[in-house]
Amino acid sequence: MSEYMGQENPLLIIISGPSGVGKDAVIDELKQRKIPFHFVVTATTRSKRPDEVHGKDYWFYTPEEFYQLLKSGELLENAVVYNNSYGVPKHDVRDSLNRGEDTILRIDVQGAAHIKREVPNALFIFLAPPTFEALINRLGNRNTETPESLNRRLNTYQVEMKAIPTFDYVVINYESRLAETVDKIIAIITAEKLRTHPRRVKL
Ligand code: 5GP
């Protein structure tokens, strides 16, 4: 058998991009299609939105609880995004990779840059809106933002788009074409599993 066959390294897949671009929708669709992967639920101090579930969308913690996690060195990455703290539980990522499962992380662009320094062999996918206006529409429709926080999110957008060249792939999430976006992400994952030199991730 060729030495190139049978190499099954779990991938650490970072799905990033501007806030409101549709990262959660993409991940939900991957789950719907029963694509096998482990989704890392990140921790946050942000308050829960009505449709969110503790332990599924986020671990919702008080600032004190979050600080305890941070102090114990248990966060692979943490950041303040729009005045709330977010962090990636390290043990969850490590355990999942040790089980041999492809592992998906949904984080903002500054978080992705941090992970890139820590784990350069992860697979970095940037999800982009087709236009600035499309992102404004999506954020506006979400009805959960104050005009002030909307403004802040939009200012960050331009800085975040400049980070695209540091990613491995960029996928545009066109309005009402989620299936196509997810098809492209699955194609990327499929191709990555056929590499002659697989990404080996160490935590
Ligand atoms: P939201 O509060 O709207 O759910 O998320 C705000 C932003 O924080 C999104 O871009 C989301 O992807 C990002 N985010 C979620 N979890 C983490 C994390 O653990 N670290 C970082 N850096 N960003 C995160």
Side-chain angles (χ1 to χ4, degrees):
M1 190 191 283
S2 154
E3 63 181 293
Y4 294 111
M5 293 178 75
Q7 293 184 356
E8 268 300 313
N9 288 290
L11 294 167
L12 177 58
I13 303 160
I14 313 299
I15 298 190
S16 190
S19 181
V21 73
K23 299 184 287 280
D24 293 338
V26 161
I27 286 161
D28 284 347
E29 178 67 15
L30 287 167
K31 286 181 185 163
Q32 286 285 326
R33 293 199 198 179
K34 307 250 182 308
I35 304 296
F37 66 90
H38 174 75
F39 174 65
V40 178
V41 177
T42 58
T44 183
T45 58
R46 165 167 78 61
S47 19
K48 199 166 80 60
R49 297 185 185 129
D51 56 335
E52 290 178 322
V53 177
H54 179 68
K56 176 181 167 279
D57 300 290
Y58 283 103
W59 300 107
F60 293 98
Y61 290 136
T62 63
E64 293 72 31
E65 288 168 334
F66 190 91
Y67 180 66
Q68 286 308 320
L69 262 183
L70 183 63
K71 222 172 59 177
S72 64
E74 256 313 304
L75 296 179
L76 176 62
E77 174 275 335
N78 74 94
V80 175
V81 184
Y82 307 115
N83 290 335
N84 294 302
S85 298
Y86 294 82
V88 180
K90 194 188 279 180
H91 69 90
D92 193 7
V93 179
R94 194 190 295 124
D95 293 352
S96 165
L97 292 171
N98 284 344
R99 290 193 300 271
E101 295 173 6
D102 290 333
T103 302
I104 298 188
L105 258 176
R106 163 224 44 200
I107 52 177
D108 80 327
V109 177
Q110 56 168 326
H114 187 109
I115 302 272
K116 181 134 182 143
R117 289 193 292 275
E118 300 278 320
V119 198
N121 274 351
L123 167 60
F124 292 85
I125 302 176
F126 192 103
L127 199 60
T131 60
F132 185 52
E133 288 71 27
L135 190 76
I136 296 175
N137 285 340
R138 247 191 86 98
L139 283 172
N141 289 339
R142 197 145 78 174
N143 279 335
T144 50
E145 312 292 333
T146 63
E148 206 183 33
S149 73
L150 246 178
N151 231 345
R152 260 201 321 269
R153 284 178 186 270
L154 296 176
N155 284 338
T156 311
Y157 164 85
Q158 286 172 326
V159 177
E160 291 183 329
M161 293 296 280
K162 290 208 178 97
I164 290 177
T166 64
F167 282 70
D168 298 304
Y169 297 90
V170 56
V171 177
I172 299 175
N173 189 25
Y174 291 99
E175 210 50 40
S176 309
R177 282 159 66 181
L178 180 66
E180 181 185 319
T181 301
V182 171
D183 288 345
K184 287 175 182 167
I185 288 178
I186 293 172
I188 292 168
I189 295 171
T190 305
E192 285 288 332
K193 288 186 170 294
L194 302 175
R195 287 171 69 113
T196 52
H197 303 285
R199 297 170 185 271
R200 284 180 218 282
V201 172
K202 252 197 124 13
L203 273 197

